[in-house]
């Protein structure tokens, strides 16, 4: 799609109902020829709406008023362009563990977790967070600094306890360091302005990770995953998982990864937006909602549920 269509779609499908500021910005940019011309100086993957908005916030710019945003971004365009070229939207939302938990808890324990596209590795600690499903079912350590809430629909196999994780590692093209103030500020700037509940959740997850920093490897997921699997302890079930990562790969890279996962000795948990993994989408038992962005939660390529992109909802298939 064109840059204008991308921004218009982002506002309507992702930001609407979630972030009035980003919905407004995306819609106004889609109709602003001068702003679109600036964005089109960048390679297509770098024109991403939430990358632009995150960078403007990271550099100290405004996002609540369009004229102020436009004036500031135009004046600071060289700084913005450079930062957009260097950075990635590495949203490390621990809330996504709420939709992963019912799957992880059903697998043979203990688990060895490997996350691809791990960012700072905050989703590698599903055993350290506390969960509340539908204001009723609560599971996880009572003293956890992170409480994740998730609305469910359908026969979700809610667990009575969190999984036992004995080993955890991740791979990312640019791993973020939980001890780096700048890296953690970048993660905070990727949280949408009105979603205030996500900020303390992120900071709590960072505290958890700092107590036992994850083993993160820099590299391409298709090249590194085999080496990481070779390090898994012999008595643990190896689980490779990813959430909202593969959209940043080319179609060929995604298919190569899916084919690789089907041949590796591990369980594969994917949670990607509809359309990202066609081989998974073809097995969906019902059409995806057309009015909002949802992910498909799948185990070993078999769809299990539709999930909210930040882990806020889980609609289990019957």
């Amino acid at each position: 799609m064109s840059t204008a269509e991308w921004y218009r779609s982002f506002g309507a499908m992702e930001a609407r109902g979630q972030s009035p500021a980003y919905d407004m910005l995306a819609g106004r940019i889609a109709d602003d020829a001068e702003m679109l011309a600036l964005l089109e100086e960048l390679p297509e993957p770098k024109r991403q709406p939430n990358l632009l908005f995150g960078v403007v916030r990271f550099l100290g710019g405004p996002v609540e008023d369009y004229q102020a945003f436009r004036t500031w971004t135009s004046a600071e365009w060289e700084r913005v362009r450079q930062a957009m070229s260097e950075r990635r939207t590495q949203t490390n939302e621990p809330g996504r563990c709420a939709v992963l938990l019912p799957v992880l808890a059903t697998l043979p324990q203990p688990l060895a977790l490997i996350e691809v596209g791990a960012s700072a590795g905050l989703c590698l600690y599903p055993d350290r967070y506390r969960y509340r499903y539908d204001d009723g079912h609560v599971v996880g350590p009572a003293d956890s600094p992170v409480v994740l809430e998730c609305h469910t629909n359908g026969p979700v196999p809610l667990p009575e306890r969190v999984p036992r994780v004995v080993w955890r590692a991740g791979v990312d093209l640019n791993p973020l360091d939980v001890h780096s103030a700048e890296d953690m500020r970048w993660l905070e700037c990727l949280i949408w302005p009105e979603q205030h509940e996500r900020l303390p959740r992120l900071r709590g997850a960072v505290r958890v990770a700092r107590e036992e920093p994850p083993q993160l490897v820099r590299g391409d997921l298709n090249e590194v995953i085999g080496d990481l699997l070779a390090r898994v302890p012999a008595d643990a079930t190896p689980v490779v998982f990813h959430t909202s990562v593969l959209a940043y790969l080319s179609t060929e890279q995604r298919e190569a990864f899916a084919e690789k996962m089907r041949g590796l000795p591990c369980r594969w948990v994917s949670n990607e937006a509809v359309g990202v993994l066609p081989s998974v989408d073809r097995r969906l038992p019902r059409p995806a909602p057309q009015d909002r962005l949802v992910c498909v939660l799948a185990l070993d390529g078999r769809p299990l549920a539709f999930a909210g992109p930040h882990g806020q909802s889980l609609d289990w298939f019957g």
Side-chain angles (χ1 to χ4, degrees):
M1 63 179 71
S2 69
T3 305
E5 290 169 337
W6 190 355
Y7 274 72
R8 195 168 287 112
S9 174
F10 174 85
M13 296 295 292
E14 299 187 49
R16 190 154 301 162
Q18 303 295 323
S19 172
Y22 282 6
D23 184 6
M24 175 272 296
L25 288 178
R28 294 291 298 275
I29 289 171
D31 294 324
D32 189 326
E34 292 183 16
M35 284 299 300
L36 292 172
L38 289 177
L39 287 165
E40 285 167 2
E41 295 176 7
L42 291 159
E44 184 176 357
K46 290 295 185 177
R47 301 172 195 168
Q48 185 184 352
N50 41 342
L51 176 60
L52 170 64
F53 303 152
V55 160
V56 168
R57 295 174 67 199
F58 186 73
L59 296 178
V63 295
E64 303 294 339
D65 174 80
Y66 185 68
Q67 193 55 51
F69 167 87
R70 187 184 193 278
T71 300
W72 186 93
T73 302
S74 298
E76 300 290 339
W77 178 246
E78 281 308 307
R79 293 174 64 212
V80 172
R81 183 189 58 76
Q82 181 175 349
M84 290 179 71
S85 298
E86 295 172 350
R87 293 194 173 272
R88 302 171 182 271
T89 50
Q90 295 176 275
T91 303
N92 205 177
E93 176 50 66
R96 293 169 178 159
C97 287
V99 300
L100 298 174
L101 185 74
V103 184
L104 298 176
T106 64
L107 301 177
Q109 308 290 308
L111 305 180
L113 299 181
I114 299 174
E115 183 179 14
V116 295
S119 187
L122 303 185
C123 288
L124 282 164
Y125 299 88
D127 53 327
R128 306 292 177 83
Y129 303 149
R130 190 163 177 82
Y131 304 84
R132 182 179 296 114
Y133 294 93
D134 304 309
D135 297 324
H137 190 96
V138 179
V139 61
D143 60 349
S144 175
V146 179
V147 178
L148 306 177
E149 298 187 359
C150 180
H151 172 72
T152 71
N153 183 51
V156 183
L158 295 176
E160 294 301 321
R161 61 185 62 84
V162 294
R164 186 159 71 93
V165 181
V166 294
W167 190 85
R168 59 194 101 216
V171 57
D172 199 283
L173 288 173
N174 180 41
L176 300 182
D177 181 0
V178 292
H179 292 291
S180 165
E182 183 174 80
D183 282 356
M184 296 305 96
R185 191 167 73 84
W186 173 237
L187 284 185
E188 292 189 3
C189 288
L190 291 174
I191 293 176
W192 297 2
E194 300 86 354
Q195 296 181 340
H196 304 295
E197 74 285 355
R198 292 176 61 196
L199 186 57
R201 195 161 70 194
L202 175 71
R203 291 173 175 170
V206 170
R207 293 206 306 274
V208 169
R210 283 175 173 170
E211 293 175 1
E212 182 193 334
Q215 175 185 332
L216 299 180
V217 176
R218 184 184 301 272
D220 179 89
L221 53 87
N222 278 323
E223 298 173 1
V224 173
I225 194 66
D227 293 337
L228 284 176
L229 279 169
R231 304 181 197 176
V232 169
D235 60 346
T237 299
V239 182
V240 176
F241 74 96
H242 48 91
T243 64
S244 300
V245 167
L246 299 190
Y248 300 106
L249 276 61
S250 69
T251 302
E252 293 75 20
Q253 289 172 318
R254 295 178 208 168
E255 290 305 318
F257 177 74
E259 184 63 29
K260 182 182 288 288
M261 291 310 306
R262 285 189 281 267
L264 288 174
C266 64
R267 307 306 299 269
W268 172 33
V269 179
S270 61
N271 188 45
E272 299 289 344
V274 174
V276 171
L277 280 173
S279 59
V280 173
D281 293 350
R282 282 194 291 269
R283 303 175 67 182
L284 283 170
R286 64 174 185 262
Q290 297 298 306
D291 59 340
R292 65 188 187 280
L293 178 71
V294 294
C295 295
V296 180
L297 177 68
L299 175 63
D300 300 328
R302 180 173 62 89
L304 301 175
F306 289 130
H310 294 141
Q312 67 270 46
S313 62
L314 191 56
D315 183 5
W316 206 267
F317 303 138

